[in-house]
Structures are given as structure tokens and as C-alpha cells.
Amino acid sequence: MRQPNILFDGLPLPFADGQTIMEAATAAGIFIPHLCHHPDFKPQGSCKLCTVKANGRHVSACTMPAKDGMEVENNSPDLNDKRRTMLQMLFVEGNHFCPSCEKSGNCMLQALAYELEMLTPHFPHFYPDRPVDASHPQVLLDFNRCILCELCVRASRDVDDKNVFALSGRGIRKHLIVNAESGRLADTSFSLGDKAAHVCPVGVIIEKGRGFALPIGRRRYDIQPIGMELERAARCRGSGEAI
Amino acid sequence: MNAAVDRKKPRLATTSLAGCFGCHTSLLDIDERLFDLVERVDFDRSPLTDTKQCASCDIGLVEGGLCNAENILVLHEFRRNCKLLVALGACAINGGLPAQRNHLDLGQCLQEVYLTGPGIVGGQIPNDPELPLPLDKVRPIHEVVRVDYFIPGCPPSGDAIWKFLTDLLDGRTPRLGYPLLHFD
């Protein structure tokens, strides 16, 4: 029987039954910009960076199941303009001061801004006041950089079985909270071994004592653009090279 | 003949507002390409010429954000005089390091630094009329004037600045691209 295909940016892309657009693209080594999506977790489609056009409608690639014959537009100037605007809104909503951030060079938000050539935040900055939580002996929480992707929430709840994090509030007042009466991370059972300690795509959950062990300029996305990683991995799989 | 050629040279002005001069240091980092640059442009107001007033220019490079009233005046002077205004570096683009004071109350900052901080005896908050008044929040320059181009980085590398300037001078749309586009 013929394998079902979607028409992805004009090219046929085979997919397995039950796969989302994101999963089909990822399996083929095609990068769709995303922040809240992580292959280990149930997709929630909240960051909207992975917005594609499927049969003419804007949908989240991470939640939309692929359907045979579906026409998907991904890497187009129009969609990338919209994604850049979403990044700009994320940048002005928090305090993303890259030069002082230990995550710089390993940060997905920053890497996507490079990928989509975001040169300016464009909008007026909010400069919110969000105190850091340095109470935990192993981990620092810098809420200034939170983009509300809920990956730590999902990891702590679904994998670590600890429910350490949650989002609280509505709309522009929505923010990340720690599940302790004091609100402090030190007063939870959170530890560095938790899955939640290692899923933050930006610089909120920072391991203490590491700092700038690997200098800026030699980090993950300094070495290779985020959009090239998947493609290279797929090429290496195809040729049997080490990734 | 030289005079005729010189008249056609684009004029370049540069300034540092609430910045650390790191972006200007990066401009010097184009090293021997500075000789090419002075062949291709005339410098107007700039720390390199020590000229204090900006005349009519083609390109204005602005380092630093806006932390006081004088920064705003200089920025408006640049915008009035420069056909193309370029935000150079993180502070001009998003406020950068000086903007890290934005969640603090300015009055309390001044009190602590000049009056109540450790070891201060008989201090006073500077109020000489020649001192520009600080703004309550540090702002990037695009929030006050229209900005034509942005060169991110803290600082942008000499190579990034060179790529930008040569693109512009050669008539191409400036594009940094990977790996010259950096925020750190």
C-alpha cells in the first residue's frame, strides 16, 4: 500500500499513521521553529512558533496530525515574518539580557532569533520586575527569562512525579510559580537529577557552579545554527556517520 | 581631483550614549581595514574626530541606550542629521547593561549610592546644572526615534561592523547572517 504523504513546502513528505506535522518533519530532518515542543512530552501548542499553514489554515505543527494529501507551508517569508514578530514579543515581555545570561549560546529563544534574523525587539520593552529565586543549593531560577513554555511544568508533573512548577495568573499576568507554601524552590523536593532541571529551552533553570565553564562563542548554537542540527543528524543517519 | 572625489564620499558619524564604548572598540577591531574605511568615508562627529556637533551625514552609528536627558538630545541631533541611523550593539537595541537598573527606583538608587551607602559621610546627590538629568528608566533608541538598521551584539564583532558598512557602501542591503549575528 502507498505510504501516506503530506506536501511539505511543495515536496512530498511521507509520514506514519498518528504522526503530527512536526513529528513527520522532524523524522525527515526538516526543522520547524518551536519552543514549547519537546519530543519527550505531549505537545500543547502554546508558543505558536511552529505555526504552519495546513491546507491554507494556520495551525500548530506540533499538535496537528498529518493527513494524506495535506498541503503544508512552513519555510515561507510570510510565516517566518510572523514567527519573528512572536519572538520579538517574547523578548520585550521578559528581561532577555543575553550578554549576562549563562544560557547564551545554548538558548533556543536566542538561536531562533538568529535563525529568523531578528535584529531588533521592535516593540517597547516591558522591563518587568521579576526577582530571582536563588534559594536552592544546586539550581537558580531566573524568572526574567521565562517564556511560559511549561516544559518544566510538564517534566516535573509527568516524569519526575513532583509537580514542582505551575503557571499562575491569566493573560499578561501569567507567570511561573513554585509549588511550595513559601514559593521558594529550596522548600520543594526539586533536585538536579530531575528531568525538569534539564528541559528549560531558555535561561530560567540554571545549574549553579557551572557558570561560563564553556566560554561564549563555543556553545551549541555558536557551533551550528539551530535549523541545521536536525538536517545534519538526518544526513549522518543516512550515511552512517557519527552525529 | 581628490577634492572632487572627496565631496562624493559618504559622511559617517558615530557616538556612544549610555554605552561602554565597547562597540567603538569593536569598530577599531576592523584593524587595517580602517585604512580602507577612511578611503571610503569621511568621519563627521565621532570620538575618533573629537568633533562635538553632527553636520549633515549619510550614516550615523549610535552605540548605547538612553539613560539621561543629554542622550536624548544627542540622539535627536543624530536623527536630524543622518540619512541612515544605525543602532550599534545591545544597549542601543534593548537598553543592555544600563537597563538592568530598570526594576529599581531611581530615587532610591541615588540615595543609596550618594547618601546612605556604606562608608558615606556627609554625601550629597549631585545636582550641578551641567549634569544631565537621569531618566527613570533606560530605553533603547528605537523607542524614541526611527532607526533604519540594527547591528546586534555585545559588542558586535569588528567583522560584523565591517560586513554591515561594506554592504551599505557597496549598495547592498546589509545582512549579517550566521555567524556574525550574535546577541552576546
Side-chain angles (χ1 to χ4, degrees):
Chain A
M1 204 179 99
R2 186 184 73 86
Q3 194 176 9
N5 279 289
I6 54 177
L7 201 61
F8 193 91
D9 280 342
L11 294 172
L13 180 70
F15 66 92
D17 200 29
Q19 274 185 328
T20 59
I21 296 172
M22 176 72 82
E23 285 164 344
T26 304
I30 299 169
F31 179 72
I32 301 177
H34 60 268
L35 285 168
C36 73
H37 169 74
H38 189 295
D40 295 351
F41 300 101
K42 195 167 163 253
Q44 63 173 19
S46 65
C47 79
K48 300 297 172 198
L49 254 292
C50 74
T51 298
V52 293
K53 261 188 184 174
N55 290 342
R57 292 178 61 207
H58 289 101
V59 297
S60 299
C62 69
T63 53
M64 187 69 176
K67 280 200 188 106
D68 195 23
M70 179 187 265
E71 282 185 37
V72 177
E73 175 188 320
N74 168 50
N75 191 9
S76 66
D78 173 44
L79 284 171
N80 285 336
D81 280 350
K82 290 186 167 71
R83 290 168 178 153
R84 196 179 307 111
T85 302
M86 285 188 267
L87 287 176
Q88 288 169 325
M89 291 194 281
L90 286 172
F91 267 88
V92 299
E93 190 180 303
N95 291 311
H96 298 278
F97 179 46
C98 297
S100 84
C101 179
E102 292 180 20
K103 198 66 180 272
S104 192
N106 295 322
C107 168
M108 283 184 73
L109 181 68
Q110 184 192 58
L112 284 174
Y114 294 165
E115 183 76 10
L116 296 167
E117 297 188 68
M118 189 197 102
L119 301 179
T120 162
H122 180 77
F123 299 107
H125 281 78
F126 287 25
Y127 295 123
D129 182 11
R130 300 184 193 160
V132 301
D133 178 352
S135 62
H136 196 279
Q138 296 169 304
V139 171
L140 170 81
L141 290 184
D142 191 335
F143 297 102
N144 289 289
R145 304 157 183 166
C146 185
I147 54 167
L148 310 177
C149 70
E150 286 191 274
L151 275 171
C152 59
V153 176
R154 286 178 274 168
S156 187
R157 183 190 61 211
D158 303 340
V159 180
D160 306 327
D161 209 14
K162 290 186 179 177
N163 243 338
V164 169
F165 300 103
L167 293 189
S168 177
R170 287 283 178 270
I172 196 61
R173 277 179 284 279
K174 184 178 268 194
H175 61 287
L176 183 66
I177 54 167
V178 171
N179 185 10
E181 208 164 316
S182 65
R184 290 163 15 117
L185 193 63
D187 298 327
T188 68
S189 55
F190 185 81
S191 81
L192 202 52
D194 290 0
K195 178 83 172 168
H198 306 283
V199 291
C200 181
V202 292
V204 179
I205 302 176
I206 295 284
E207 184 182 344
K208 287 185 178 177
R210 290 181 60 84
F212 292 82
L214 189 63
I216 281 176
R218 286 170 40 197
R219 299 177 174 192
R220 184 171 178 179
Y221 303 119
D222 295 328
I223 307 297
Q224 169 169 248
I226 191 168
M228 295 292 289
E229 284 189 328
L230 266 178
E231 199 183 304
R232 184 162 171 269
R235 220 175 29 239
C236 292
R237 272 200 307 276
S239 64
E241 277 176 59
I243 293 170
Chain B
M1 183 199 156
N2 273 346
V5 172
D6 280 354
R7 271 204 300 276
K8 286 182 189 162
K9 274 165 110 180
R11 292 189 73 78
L12 174 68
T14 77
T15 190
S16 181
L17 307 177
C20 69
F21 278 92
C23 299
H24 274 78
T25 309
S26 240
L27 173 62
L28 299 181
D29 254 353
I30 64 174
D31 297 330
E32 71 277 8
R33 289 169 290 186
L34 274 168
F35 293 114
D36 298 330
L37 187 61
V38 292
E39 286 292 316
R40 302 194 62 183
V41 302
D42 283 327
F43 275 89
D44 196 270
R45 173 178 172 157
S46 168
L48 304 181
T49 58
D50 212 20
T51 306
K52 305 296 185 198
Q53 294 292 324
C54 189
S56 182
C57 283
D58 297 282
I59 308 166
L61 300 180
V62 177
E63 168 188 346
L66 306 162
C67 80
N68 63 37
E70 193 224 1
N71 293 156
I72 308 252
L73 293 177
V74 175
L75 179 63
H76 279 303
E77 181 193 328
F78 265 66
R79 180 66 278 182
R80 265 197 317 277
N81 287 290
C82 301
K83 285 183 196 154
L84 292 175
L85 196 68
V86 183
L88 179 65
C91 301
I93 290 174
N94 59 30
L97 180 71
Q100 302 310 297
R101 76 156 157 89
N102 280 355
H103 65 279
L104 303 171
D105 179 80
L106 181 62
Q108 279 178 5
C109 271
L110 292 171
Q111 290 222 345
E112 189 169 337
V113 170
Y114 291 106
L115 298 178
T116 62
I120 297 172
V121 181
Q124 65 165 53
I125 295 175
N127 61 354
D128 190 300
E130 285 209 356
L131 290 175
L133 286 172
L135 306 179
D136 66 334
K137 293 228 186 305
V138 178
R139 291 285 172 187
I141 65 171
H142 76 266
E143 294 188 19
V144 173
V145 297
R146 181 174 60 79
V147 176
D148 301 293
Y149 290 104
F150 300 85
I151 311 178
C154 185
S157 65
D159 287 340
I161 297 172
W162 181 246
K163 171 75 163 60
F164 174 86
L165 287 175
T166 47
D167 275 356
L168 203 58
L169 294 170
D170 292 342
R172 294 186 294 268
T173 301
R175 189 174 184 189
L176 295 179
Y178 192 89
L180 293 178
L181 174 55
H182 257 264
F183 294 170
D184 50 23

